[in-house]
Amino acid sequence: MVCAEHNHDPASYMEGYPYPGRLSKSEIQIMVDMSAQNAKSRDILTELKKRDPNDVSTITSIYNAHKKHNTVERSGQSHVQVVLSFLNNHEYFFDYQANHTTNELEDLFFAHPGSLDRLRAFLHVLLMDATYQTNRYGLPLLKIFSVTSTSQTFYIAFVYLHSEKEASYTWALECLRSAMHGCTSPRVIVMNRELGLMKECAQVFPKALKLLC
């Protein structure tokens, strides 16, 4: 302020101003608890307004508080370090490859221990499917899943690959075989017509029948 005086009267209502929209400590704790249950930001905002009808927070307030909380939780770690720490602390089966020159993460394989336990009961059929443009890094995501005796599918593992070349698929399938240690090989593998994946499946799981969807 040049003249050290306000050039307008005080606002009658505080909606839209960032200061009153900030979350209190109790509201932040509610946000953290609901986020842990995979609640969406709009649902969190609805719950806060339900508890306090005079609450003037906006969806941006939820986004900002969530981002600040995640930054504190990371304690200066990068996103990749946080992911690897999470996988290690929760006893996931995981493996990764890094670029020898830049030391950047290129490939990441991870499987939940509960999924591997279920796989041991239903290991006759494997399904594999790759999706694209699903993450900010543009990496292909290979999803590996199976089916139960009641025709319900369940995920076994996820693999981020830096390329769709045969070497990447070989590494991913070798990781899968290591995760299946102690299990018999699958009898049937269902996949789309990805030539590199088809070729490497024949090498890593030669006895399995290959079907195309």
Side-chain angles (χ1 to χ4, degrees):
M1 297 181 297
V2 178
C3 62
E5 294 180 0
H6 285 288
N7 59 0
H8 58 83
D9 296 330
S12 301
Y13 303 96
M14 299 305 295
E15 286 83 356
Y17 288 86
Y19 179 79
R22 292 189 302 179
L23 303 185
S24 63
K25 291 184 178 180
S26 60
E27 290 175 329
I28 291 176
Q29 188 59 49
I30 294 173
M31 180 207 69
V32 172
D33 294 339
M34 293 186 66
S35 296
Q37 301 298 322
N38 297 322
K40 297 181 179 179
S41 296
R42 64 172 180 268
D43 297 329
I44 297 175
L45 180 62
T46 300
E47 179 64 23
L48 295 180
K49 291 186 177 295
K50 185 185 300 183
R51 296 185 180 217
D52 182 8
N54 297 320
D55 188 285
V56 294
S57 301
T58 63
I59 194 68
T60 304
S61 305
I62 305 297
Y63 292 149
N64 292 339
H66 197 277
K67 182 178 180 180
K68 184 177 181 179
H69 175 75
N70 288 342
T71 301
V72 173
E73 288 293 306
R74 289 203 307 265
S75 301
Q77 293 181 319
S78 66
H79 290 288
V80 173
Q81 290 173 326
V82 172
V83 170
L84 295 180
S85 297
F86 176 87
L87 296 177
N88 183 66
N89 294 338
H90 290 78
E91 299 182 347
Y92 276 66
F93 180 94
F94 70 97
D95 197 1
Y96 62 90
Q97 291 189 130
N99 187 296
H100 296 294
T101 303
T102 63
N103 201 35
E104 293 180 347
L105 184 70
E106 290 188 339
D107 304 289
L108 175 63
F109 177 100
F110 58 96
H112 191 278
S115 297
L116 297 179
D117 290 339
R118 183 171 295 183
L119 174 63
R120 294 182 178 92
F122 307 101
L123 47 78
H124 298 301
V125 179
L126 291 182
L127 300 96
M128 302 183 185
D129 182 37
T131 59
Y132 310 93
Q133 304 300 327
T134 58
N135 54 83
R136 70 174 66 180
Y137 306 106
L139 297 177
L141 173 63
L142 177 63
K143 299 177 293 183
I144 304 172
F145 48 105
S146 185
V147 61
T148 69
S149 57
T150 56
S151 301
Q152 292 182 328
T153 57
F154 65 95
Y155 284 107
I156 301 170
F158 299 90
V159 194
Y160 283 109
L161 302 172
H162 76 284
S163 71
E164 300 174 79
K165 296 182 179 179
E166 294 176 1
S168 296
Y169 285 125
T170 300
W171 176 83
L173 295 176
E174 290 291 351
C175 289
L176 175 62
R177 189 164 62 177
S178 297
M180 297 173 60
H181 178 70
C183 300
T184 59
S185 298
R187 296 181 180 180
V188 178
I189 298 179
V190 183
M191 70 193 81
N192 54 12
R193 195 176 182 277
E194 178 60 49
L195 298 181
L197 181 59
M198 293 169 56
K199 181 178 180 180
E200 297 312 312
C201 274
Q203 296 292 332
V204 180
F205 299 105
K207 297 182 180 181
L209 177 65
K210 316 303 186 299
L211 299 179
L212 300 181
C213 60

